[in-house]
Amino acid sequence: MNSRKVLPETRRIFPATKVHCQQPSQILIVDVTAPCWTNTCSVLSEALENTLCLACSVTGPCRIPLLSLYVVQSNPECLLPFTQVRENFARIQACISELRSLPREGSFLHGGSGVVQAAQDGLQQFKQYSRHTAAGGSANGSVEITVLTGRSSREMVKQLEETLKDIDVVSLRRIQIIEVLKRDFLDPEDTEQCVPAEEPSSSDIAVLGMDIDVQTVEDNVISLEMVFKSWLHDYGTEREHLHLLLPSGSFGHASAPKTTLMCLKCDLQERLLDPALLSGTVDGTVKAADLNSRCQMAAWPATVLCKLWVVKALKAEGVCESVLYGLPFIIKPTTCWQLDWDELEINQHSFHALCHSLLKRKWLLLARREPQNASPNWNIMVHSYYVIVPSNSATLLVKAVAIRELLLPSAFPALLTEHPERVRGPIESALNSLEVEVTYNPLHLKSNLYKYLKSMLYKPLHRQPAQPRDLRQERHQPKQQQSRARAAVAPLLMAPSPAPAFRSAVARRGSCEPSPLPKE
């Protein structure tokens, strides 16, 4: 899809506060009054469940600290008050099952300002939750709102702008409005690029010092998964992650010493999740990765500034794949809000010029990284080396490269030029029978990892005796109408603010049959 994202200058007006947990909490608002809800319901539920089973399974710092889920029907209601994602997959799974069983298309009238009401209540709940956790010594300082709808986002953006300008949004990092459309409703130029799309088309609208990010995605599991998986990235902009240091050369610096360095300030982004970080493994042999490994490019999230000194250039055809190892990381020009706007712009142009020049010359870069912490023998520093690879996009790829101490002897016999026909014939026949793809697309391969992780996380909730409808309705009522005893034993189940009184979806559904679970 076409990307129209821009970096608004107003982003730096309201910097995010540094807190113990850098990742933002998430408020998901699902508009079920949209015309295509019948088609979207099952794929949305599956995509959300798949992403959250990953978030619950990955070790290391928490990637989604808290999650709250709202649905907008005739009126908004909170299906899941703010809940810690880790150790609560069974509860989240029960909430997704309730989302699946909502009545389908035509059951609800358009709620109008329901999305705005849900956003207001979610921010109020987060404010109350933050006060509660701050008193206990922990903190979650920022929150993001994601709205999923099948309707046009223009009117929704106007309503959010009008409403949010009158309330405290210091803790609000970003608002995403995701328009989920059928393929028939996508623009022809978008359709060609979104089967399936890793990056949805988007545009940013700067308001109140943060972004309203409008995206358009197709209503399939993979596209929606990519939306939710963006929550797993480290999007912290408090500081840059990486300094790429190059010799300044002699251009414009005739009298400059050779030790002068040009510094490109960059951010690091994971290309894929490290399988070793998933708790529990299919074969039972992989253990959690050591985040303090000397050969690790960057622990997640990037808490320490990494410096790479470029020591020489390499011809692209002269690097053997067998000496590259470890997970790749993507290098991008930084978006750190603490940098001056002019510095950000110059840094970005310099980064693009570097990518272009490397492609033109067909070069790779060899870089050395010095450890941040000294070894037990304080006078010995162990260096690690990396290869930096250009691409056709405004990004670089960095991978660890083997050094002398790690390399093992290997024999590579020469390839025979002639072979007996009785051997060559069967091989040629076998190769001719294979399907050939021009490019490798990992989205076409499944390993049953989601099924495995869900089975590992599955812990059935204790069933409670059935309650009359009038008692079940209490679950989504404001805090003042609940018993003090229940509020004392369940501090995480913060009730919505007194503004809207949300009604229970269960009470309204009556005898509606639940929809079948989507097939894996």
Side-chain angles (χ1 to χ4, degrees):
M1 295 185 180
N2 299 328
S3 178
R4 307 187 301 276
K5 291 177 72 67
V6 295
L7 179 64
E9 185 171 5
T10 51
R11 175 185 292 180
R12 298 189 303 282
I13 298 177
F14 296 92
T17 305
K18 288 189 177 181
V19 291
H20 177 68
C21 182
Q22 296 183 356
Q23 286 295 98
S25 299
Q26 299 292 337
I27 299 173
L28 177 61
I29 302 173
V30 181
D31 179 11
V32 302
T33 66
C36 59
W37 172 245
T38 299
N39 299 321
T40 306
C41 176
S42 59
V43 295
L44 164 64
S45 301
E46 183 179 354
L48 183 60
E49 187 176 36
N50 289 346
T51 302
L52 293 177
C53 83
L54 282 177
C56 291
S57 301
V58 69
T59 59
C62 187
R63 299 186 181 231
I64 307 177
L66 302 169
L67 175 68
S68 181
L69 175 61
Y70 287 79
V71 292
V72 177
Q73 305 175 11
S74 302
N75 292 298
E77 69 176 83
C78 182
L79 285 187
L80 183 70
F82 274 108
T83 301
Q84 293 182 3
V85 173
R86 278 190 176 169
E87 306 297 333
N88 280 304
F89 184 70
R91 185 180 176 196
I92 292 172
Q93 203 171 34
C95 174
I96 294 174
S97 297
E98 189 171 352
L99 181 65
R100 282 193 178 103
S101 62
L102 288 175
R104 299 305 177 92
E105 187 173 336
S107 301
F108 303 107
L109 299 175
H110 180 38
S113 60
V115 169
V116 178
Q117 294 176 22
Q120 282 181 293
D121 189 80
L123 290 174
Q124 181 64 24
Q125 278 203 47
F126 182 74
K127 189 175 181 180
Q128 295 174 2
Y129 187 96
S130 297
R131 288 175 181 170
H132 175 81
T133 54
S138 60
N140 295 98
S142 61
V143 66
E144 291 184 354
I145 296 176
T146 301
V147 180
L148 281 162
T149 180
R151 303 183 181 277
S152 173
S153 60
R154 295 180 181 178
E155 187 63 30
M156 194 177 297
V157 168
K158 293 179 181 178
Q159 292 176 351
L160 287 169
E161 287 177 341
E162 288 296 321
T163 304
L164 297 181
K165 70 181 182 181
D166 298 325
I167 64 176
D168 179 14
V169 293
V170 173
S171 61
L172 180 59
R173 178 180 292 188
R174 183 177 61 158
I175 299 177
Q176 292 185 95
I177 299 180
I178 311 297
E179 294 184 25
V180 185
L181 302 179
K182 297 180 182 178
R183 171 180 289 276
D184 297 341
F185 296 100
L186 292 173
D187 293 334
E189 59 270 20
D190 287 342
T191 305
E192 296 176 0
Q193 306 178 44
C194 68
V195 192
E198 282 200 49
E199 296 292 339
S201 65
S202 62
S203 61
D204 282 354
I205 302 170
V207 56
L208 306 172
M210 50 83 195
D211 297 337
I212 294 183
D213 182 14
V214 180
Q215 301 181 2
T216 302
V217 300
E218 191 179 345
D219 60 343
N220 60 58
V221 175
I222 293 177
S223 296
L224 289 171
E225 260 185 33
M226 291 303 167
V227 171
F228 297 136
K229 282 182 178 179
S230 67
W231 298 349
L232 305 179
H233 272 310
D234 175 19
Y235 284 114
T237 58
E238 287 78 14
R239 63 174 302 172
E240 63 270 25
H241 303 159
L242 169 71
H243 284 180
L244 186 60
L245 304 171
L246 298 97
S248 63
S250 58
F251 182 78
H253 301 278
S255 61
K258 292 184 178 181
T259 55
T260 304
L261 296 176
M262 177 190 303
C263 178
L264 295 183
K265 298 180 179 180
C266 310
D267 291 335
L268 287 171
Q269 181 177 304
E270 292 170 296
R271 183 63 176 109
L272 53 129
L273 283 175
D274 185 352
L277 292 179
L278 295 176
S279 57
T281 57
V282 177
D283 58 8
T285 59
V286 181
K287 297 181 179 180
D290 180 9
L291 294 180
N292 296 318
S293 170
R294 296 186 185 277
C295 297
Q296 184 84 8
M297 180 62 231
W300 189 98
T303 55
V304 179
L305 178 63
C306 175
K307 293 183 179 181
L308 290 181
W309 278 264
V310 176
V311 295
K312 62 177 64 177
L314 304 170
K315 291 286 187 179
E317 63 272 15
V319 178
C320 179
E321 288 284 343
S322 67
V323 298
L324 303 179
Y325 67 95
L327 291 177
F329 281 84
I330 296 173
I331 302 178
K332 297 181 177 181
T334 187
T335 56
C336 174
W337 62 265
Q338 299 192 57
L339 298 182
D340 180 76
W341 180 259
D342 292 335
E343 184 180 0
L344 273 177
E345 186 175 17
I346 293 174
N347 185 77
Q348 186 177 59
H349 285 304
S350 299
F351 188 92
H352 284 230
L354 174 64
C355 295
H356 180 78
S357 296
L358 290 176
L359 279 176
K360 183 179 179 180
R361 297 170 183 245
K362 297 182 180 180
W363 280 7
L364 311 181
L365 297 178
L366 179 65
R368 182 185 72 244
R369 179 194 180 194
E370 293 185 358
Q372 301 295 328
N373 301 318
S375 63
N377 295 327
W378 64 271
N379 58 337
I380 300 176
M381 298 186 69
V382 179
H383 304 284
S384 53
Y385 287 83
Y386 300 87
V387 167
I388 298 173
V389 184
S391 70
N392 291 323
S393 65
T395 60
L396 299 170
L397 190 71
V398 57
K399 289 196 69 174
V401 65
I403 53 179
R404 170 184 170 182
E405 292 89 341
L406 297 180
L407 197 63
L408 295 176
S410 299
F412 299 98
L415 188 64
L416 298 177
T417 57
E418 296 183 0
H419 317 281
E421 182 61 31
R422 67 178 184 276
V423 174
R424 185 175 56 188
I427 293 297
E428 292 289 340
S429 177
L431 293 178
N432 291 336
S433 66
L434 294 177
E435 179 183 355
V436 179
E437 292 191 0
V438 178
T439 58
Y440 168 69
N441 189 342
L443 298 177
H444 293 163
L445 299 182
K446 294 174 63 177
S447 67
N448 290 327
L449 179 61
Y450 289 141
K451 286 184 178 180
Y452 175 80
L453 294 177
K454 291 172 189 177
S455 68
M456 295 291 292
L457 293 168
Y458 179 70
K459 297 176 182 178
L461 293 174
H462 298 290
R463 292 188 175 274
Q464 297 180 353
Q467 296 177 334
R469 291 185 179 181
D470 56 344
L471 293 181
R472 275 185 272 170
Q473 204 168 11
E474 179 196 30
R475 182 182 59 177
H476 302 296
Q477 294 297 331
K479 183 178 180 181
Q480 288 81 354
Q481 300 181 20
Q482 297 181 7
S483 65
R484 293 184 179 179
R486 180 178 179 183
V489 298
L492 296 182
L493 308 182
M494 302 286 295
S497 61
F502 296 150
R503 294 181 296 161
S504 169
V506 178
R508 287 200 303 275
R509 283 201 297 274
S511 60
C512 178
E513 291 291 330
S515 60
L517 295 178
K519 297 181 179 180
E520 289 287 348

